[in-house]
Amino acid sequence: MADFEPRIVGFACNWCCYAGADLAGTSRFNYPPNMRIIRVMCSGRIDPSFILKAFHDGADGVFIGGCHPGDCHYMSGNYKTQKRVVMLAGLLSSLGIEPERLHLEWVSAAEGQQFADAVTRFTARIKELGPLRIPHPKVEDEHAIEPA
Amino acid sequence: MKQIEKSAPRIGVYVCHCGTNIAQTVDVEAVAEYAGTLPNVVVARDNMYMCSDPGQALIRKDIKEHRLDRVVVAACSPRMHEPTFRGAVFGAGMNPYLFEMCNIREQCSWVHQDREKATQKASDLVRSSVARAALLEALKERYADVTKAALVLGGGIAGIQASLDIADAGYKVYLVERQPSIGGHMAQLDKTFPTLDCSACILTPKMVDVSRHKNIELITLGELKEVAGYVGNFKARVVQRARYVDIDGCTACNDCVDVCPQIHPDEFNMGLSTRKAIYQPFPQAVPGAFVLNLDDCLGKLPRPCEKCLEACDAKCINYDAEDKELELDVGAIVVATGMDVFDPLVLPELGYGKHEDILTGLEFERMLSAGGPTGGKIVRISNGKPPKDVVFVHCVGSRDKVCGNEYCSRICCMYIIKQAHLIKDRLPDTNVTSYYIDIRAFGKGFEEFYDRVREEGVLFKRGKPSEIFRRKDKLVVRAEDTLLGKVTEHETDMVILGVGLVPSEGYQELAQMLKLSLSPDRFFLEAHPKLRPVDSNIEGVYLAGCCQGPKDIPDTVAQAKAAASSVIALLNRGEVTIEPVVADIDEDLCSGCHVCEALCPYSALIYDPGREVMTVNQALCKGCGVCPSACPSGAITMRHYTDAQVEAQLDALTGHQSVAEKVEA
């Protein structure tokens, strides 16, 4: 498992976590290069279906970064994210996906070090868990239901 | 088939070296070459500096020559240069929302060291951006008028200067100060370093200018409670606490003070003297009217003693006055809420609060002031006699991880040097010793002033005192002299703690209200540390003075003037562009279930009972994207962050074919 390089998708809100990730960059705080970030304006934009799709398509982990409670640029988007993550944790379990593969972290624009630390911890955790194994539908099956 | 080909996007990809910032860890040429193989990419190049004029010219030239209709720049953070490149593509006739920025510097080259893995990540990020770019849609910007008025929060020198400049340009200013008078900390200072100007003499004329300016409405005892709206059109709710004294009627005759039986520590003199429950904050206060603090008074319940009411000939005291709520419409906001001084009680080893001859720098400043508690005489509070020996301690609450303040407060070295000079000036035979870690005398004329004060006989010893305690009627400062490597015990009469600066009380509430970000030092964060030092992260909200970080008076004034000029430019423009990143409802899909209605924090989703569907008020929508993520019918589209756009990025990152690629195939 030592060679396993997990594929991690990150979602970061523009105002807090994405800015924190930028600060980690300007401060040159190193962290593992496995995660690729998709920027959204608010973590509340993250449709639960995006997360399910990420796992379905082969992500080993999904990281969500939002503003600290009370700091959301859109007042309450982060609370909605939190509820969705809690809801998804149960759903992931029932699908045979370890709920820890979905991680929510509050990162402010000032927390470059915290961002780097969170990504480092999360990457290490996903490495421990190993590659995600869920039965994927075969490509032929997808076409099978299409009209000829 | 031809039709699809015709409508297929034509994407140009530009990968920036950023000098060596990106190129040192990412193989930029390889990324550009890879980008050239991605679907819909017509041209892919690398360039030393994409943000430079030639870099932007290259994009514009390619747009024309290659008929590009999408542009991806892989460089720094979009928070840095997205506006730059949106402008560049707009200059070539392209809709700015067809531009996509890919962050391979802050979130790649600067945080990884393995060149191979960093290059792989950069390539993945470019693939994700290209997939998204293919699905971007042209959006039309909206415009809104600007309310030609400004709100300035805080009436210290920063707020005063910003208000005067904006008002002089002909715009209405609401200056809100939570104290009964404007003036801030500068009003408490005796002299300013290094020129030894009288602080009050240079400040009070400006305070008077504020009170007389026809464009400035001064709201003292005011506090911001709520802010809604956006750049150009903010709505601020301010509560003005009751003064219980009519500002216009009060003649400042002092008759009420003479009869008031209630005595309280005087905040302006840092508790070194007393005031009554009804008082004037300080003689030069603006407004000059007295103020009654009902909490200090004998109380509204059952009744105040009414002595002041009887004594007031002008009949301007009213115990039943109530707090006022004000709704202010403004186009811009200047935050100039200043700082507080560090409270040394959290460092008990320094003995502050245990021994009355240990003072903070600001308390000592009041003692030095001719209008202060001792009339400008330097005395030991314990016995009223002038000290024979005084010790200063630098960096109290600054550059100290233990108390959580890693930063340098920037003014303490210099105010200590100034105060040391003032002691030597008034008590030439008194020994003055200053314990420092490093002397920071970096401003104009600072080093020369430091030299002068050393020549006057002030002794500077390198070392941070570890303990201060009493021995008989003396204070003992125990410190290691780090230049001699020797622990010394210094017997002295008086100790002045060079306390640093901390964010002013209530900074967190204000940050939440205005959605301001904080720096790690807890001061407000500027939009860019070098190039946008007075802009906050919120458009239309500007920062001035110590609320953004410790600074001296000239720097504060400079920043206040800069903030004012930004406000004036905005108000003068009269119009703001509003990002068209808003939600859109497909009424054919909407079932009118109301799920989205409760989620929207801005009440932008409104039910139309006639058509039984939800509608979006796009002027209210801020574009957070909470509603489309919850719509069970998939009827809501979040423009610029559509499901298809995000899913294309996911596909690109997880290795699946993107929708755009499927179109191509």
Side-chain angles (χ1 to χ4, degrees):
Chain A
M1 211 57 90
D3 296 337
F4 168 57
E5 287 296 345
R7 189 181 283 186
I8 298 172
V9 172
F11 288 98
C13 79
N14 180 60
W15 303 98
C16 292
C17 183
Y18 196 88
D22 277 356
L23 181 64
T26 34
S27 316
R28 313 297 200 279
F29 297 136
N30 278 279
Y31 55 85
N34 301 69
M35 186 164 95
R36 280 92 174 100
I37 284 186
I38 294 175
R39 181 171 72 130
V40 284
M41 280 296 131
C42 176
S43 60
R45 173 66 189 103
I46 303 162
D47 195 316
S49 73
F50 296 163
I51 296 162
L52 293 175
K53 177 176 166 59
F55 284 122
H56 171 268
D57 290 355
D60 299 303
V62 175
F63 178 98
I64 294 175
C67 307
H68 282 275
D71 290 352
C72 176
H73 187 75
Y74 304 101
M75 305 213 278
S76 55
N78 52 351
Y79 297 135
K80 283 144 197 166
T81 310
Q82 190 174 31
K83 282 186 183 172
R84 287 169 186 166
V85 167
V86 170
M87 172 197 82
L88 277 171
L91 187 60
L92 292 176
S93 299
S94 67
L95 291 170
I97 301 173
E98 298 88 337
E100 303 128 275
R101 291 185 186 271
L102 173 61
H103 181 73
L104 174 63
E105 186 84 26
W106 308 131
V107 182
S108 82
E111 294 177 335
Q113 184 68 65
Q114 286 85 336
F115 174 81
D117 292 346
V119 176
T120 307
R121 277 196 308 270
F122 185 59
T123 310
R125 183 72 191 116
I126 299 296
K127 275 196 180 179
E128 275 170 32
L129 288 172
L132 176 65
R133 293 187 200 287
I134 43 168
H136 283 223
K138 286 177 186 148
V139 178
E140 298 91 295
D141 295 345
E142 276 181 13
H143 287 288
I145 54 166
E146 278 179 16
Chain B
M1 267 299 130
K2 252 189 178 170
Q3 245 182 340
I4 291 171
E5 220 168 280
K6 201 178 172 191
S7 65
R10 298 178 62 82
I11 305 178
V13 181
Y14 301 85
V15 189
C16 182
H17 290 248
C18 194
T20 55
N21 283 308
I22 295 171
Q24 67 181 357
T25 29
V26 170
D27 185 343
V28 174
E29 284 98 349
V31 174
E33 196 184 321
Y34 170 72
T37 67
L38 293 170
N40 303 318
V41 173
V42 177
V43 50
R45 302 182 195 277
D46 62 283
N47 188 282
M48 192 51 94
Y49 291 106
M50 278 315 298
C51 58
S52 68
D53 205 28
Q56 295 185 41
L58 179 67
I59 296 176
R60 286 195 290 264
K61 184 166 154 271
D62 280 353
I63 290 174
K64 298 223 161 77
E65 281 182 9
H66 295 274
R67 292 180 292 115
L68 301 180
D69 56 13
R70 304 281 195 284
V71 167
V72 174
V73 172
C76 51
S77 170
R79 293 172 57 89
M80 174 93 195
H81 271 318
E82 191 175 58
T84 310
F85 292 113
R86 277 185 176 174
V89 301
F90 182 68
M94 185 189 283
N95 184 288
Y97 293 90
L98 297 174
F99 166 77
E100 172 66 10
M101 186 115 194
C102 178
N103 185 346
I104 60 168
R105 190 179 75 169
E106 281 85 346
Q107 299 185 9
C108 188
S109 74
W110 274 353
V111 285
H112 307 312
Q113 280 163 338
D114 184 318
R115 190 170 172 81
E116 196 187 320
K117 285 179 180 166
T119 303
Q120 181 59 50
K121 176 171 171 180
S123 304
D124 289 353
L125 290 172
V126 167
R127 187 170 67 241
S128 161
S129 288
V130 167
R132 170 174 158 79
L135 298 174
L136 286 178
E137 288 160 23
L139 300 177
K140 210 170 154 212
E141 280 173 342
R142 297 170 297 152
Y143 298 91
D145 288 340
V146 168
T147 308
K148 301 213 169 192
L151 171 65
V152 176
L153 300 172
I157 181 61
I160 288 172
Q161 186 63 56
S163 299
L164 287 173
D165 282 10
I166 299 167
D168 279 346
Y171 298 107
K172 173 89 186 171
V173 176
Y174 300 98
L175 173 55
V176 176
E177 165 60 52
R178 68 176 163 195
Q179 299 296 333
S181 168
I182 56 170
H185 283 103
M186 189 176 167
Q188 292 178 286
L189 308 182
D190 178 41
K191 300 280 190 296
T192 59
F193 59 78
T195 49
L196 300 173
D197 284 293
C198 159
S199 186
C201 312
I202 53 178
L203 176 68
T204 44
K206 283 186 184 291
M207 292 163 61
V208 174
D209 287 350
V210 165
S211 68
R212 294 213 177 127
H213 207 297
K214 66 178 183 1
N215 288 337
I216 299 179
E217 186 174 329
L218 177 58
I219 302 163
T220 48
L221 295 170
E223 222 158 312
L224 184 70
K225 292 294 174 193
E226 197 183 342
V227 175
Y230 51 92
V231 54
N233 293 284
F234 292 107
K235 226 179 227 320
R237 192 164 63 83
V238 171
V239 169
Q240 184 174 26
R241 296 195 308 282
R243 195 180 185 96
Y244 304 104
V245 177
D246 177 29
I247 286 190
D248 300 323
C250 177
T251 58
C253 64
N254 223 47
D255 289 350
C256 55
V257 174
D258 293 340
V259 297
C260 178
Q262 283 298 89
I263 292 173
H264 287 272
D266 184 343
E267 297 88 351
F268 185 75
N269 279 333
M270 305 303 293
L272 295 180
S273 67
T274 57
R275 62 162 174 81
K276 298 292 183 65
I278 187 162
Y279 64 106
Q280 190 179 35
F282 52 100
Q284 304 90 343
V286 169
F290 284 40
V291 53
L292 171 63
N293 187 331
L294 261 199
D295 294 336
D296 299 341
C297 178
L298 281 173
K300 241 182 150 174
L301 293 171
R303 286 300 294 168
C305 70
E306 297 195 359
K307 285 202 166 95
C308 54
L309 184 71
E310 289 159 21
C312 182
D313 282 340
K315 298 283 166 244
C316 54
I317 297 172
N318 175 12
Y319 300 120
D320 299 320
E322 283 182 355
D323 294 355
K324 265 197 288 189
E325 202 164 290
L326 308 164
E327 280 260 354
L328 308 176
D329 289 312
V330 294
I333 299 173
V334 177
V335 180
T337 47
M339 47 47 175
D340 285 338
V341 293
F342 175 77
D343 180 1
L345 279 176
V346 302
L347 300 171
E349 65 273 21
L350 296 180
Y352 177 80
K354 268 187 280 184
H355 312 300
E356 48 199 344
D357 292 326
I358 303 178
L359 299 176
T360 67
L362 192 55
E363 288 164 349
F364 188 57
E365 196 71 38
R366 289 312 302 149
M367 186 183 274
L368 288 169
S369 169
T374 60
K377 287 203 182 66
I378 303 167
V379 292
R380 297 183 69 183
I381 293 190
S382 57
N383 60 12
K385 290 182 188 151
K388 293 262 182 295
D389 191 286
V390 179
V391 164
F392 284 95
V393 180
H394 287 241
C395 296
V396 176
S398 309
R399 306 177 69 194
D400 184 354
K401 281 188 186 172
V402 177
C403 62
N405 299 338
E406 276 187 69
Y407 55 87
C408 166
S409 291
R410 295 179 92 241
I411 61 163
C412 329
C413 281
M414 290 313 296
Y415 80 62
I416 287 173
I417 292 169
K418 173 199 73 182
Q419 291 180 342
H421 162 79
L422 293 174
I423 295 175
K424 278 288 179 191
D425 188 45
R426 294 176 201 180
L427 304 170
D429 296 330
T430 296
N431 294 318
V432 182
T433 312
S434 207
Y435 284 91
Y436 69 97
I437 310 178
D438 300 290
I439 291 290
R440 299 199 162 163
F442 47 83
K444 189 173 180 176
F446 289 11
E447 185 68 23
E448 296 91 320
F449 185 65
Y450 171 45
D451 278 344
R452 170 183 161 189
V453 172
R454 272 190 301 176
E455 278 164 22
E456 287 171 352
V458 175
L459 193 62
F460 286 85
K461 283 193 177 173
R462 193 170 185 279
K464 191 169 184 182
S466 57
E467 201 182 356
I468 300 171
F469 53 93
R470 199 206 307 252
R471 186 180 287 155
K472 292 184 183 154
D473 67 334
K474 295 277 187 186
L475 291 167
V476 179
V477 178
R478 185 177 287 156
E480 187 194 348
D481 185 325
T482 55
L483 294 180
L484 298 175
K486 203 169 75 176
V487 176
T488 59
E489 282 196 355
H490 186 132
E491 278 203 1
T492 186
D493 296 327
M494 201 167 162
V495 175
I496 322 279
L497 303 177
V499 286
L501 307 184
V502 295
S504 69
E505 198 196 324
Y507 71 97
Q508 282 159 313
E509 289 80 6
L510 187 62
Q512 290 196 351
M513 240 184 280
L514 289 167
K515 302 296 166 207
L516 297 175
S517 294
L518 301 175
S519 322
D521 58 12
R522 308 187 308 284
F523 291 95
F524 295 135
L525 181 69
E526 62 284 358
H528 189 275
K530 300 284 182 287
L531 299 176
R532 296 177 66 196
V534 300
D535 302 15
S536 75
N537 57 321
I538 305 300
E539 242 196 300
V541 180
Y542 304 92
L543 308 174
C546 288
C547 67
Q548 182 255 336
K551 49 179 73 66
D552 62 2
I553 295 165
D555 284 2
T556 297
V557 171
Q559 200 182 16
K561 291 185 91 73
S565 84
S566 300
V567 169
I568 293 165
L570 170 66
L571 299 186
N572 192 43
R573 200 158 65 231
E575 191 180 68
V576 283
T577 326
I578 302 167
E579 283 230 340
V581 178
V582 288
D584 219 2
I585 292 188
D586 183 339
E587 293 183 3
D588 291 339
L589 291 178
C590 177
S591 62
C593 72
H594 293 258
V595 161
C596 54
E597 193 177 17
L599 292 176
C600 180
Y602 305 103
S603 310
L605 294 155
I606 297 146
Y607 184 66
D608 181 342
R611 283 174 293 155
E612 298 184 335
V613 289
M614 297 299 299
T615 59
V616 182
N617 179 337
Q618 293 186 336
L620 293 177
C621 176
K622 305 259 192 219
C624 64
V626 162
C627 56
S629 309
C631 177
S633 316
I636 310 180
T637 303
M638 184 63 228
R639 287 192 198 149
H640 213 54
Y641 294 91
T642 66
D643 285 1
Q645 288 162 358
V646 176
E647 283 165 10
Q649 281 185 281
L650 275 173
D651 281 329
L653 291 177
T654 51
H656 262 232
Q657 245 193 348
S658 77
V659 181
E661 283 172 74
K662 282 172 190 161
V663 170
E664 176 71 358

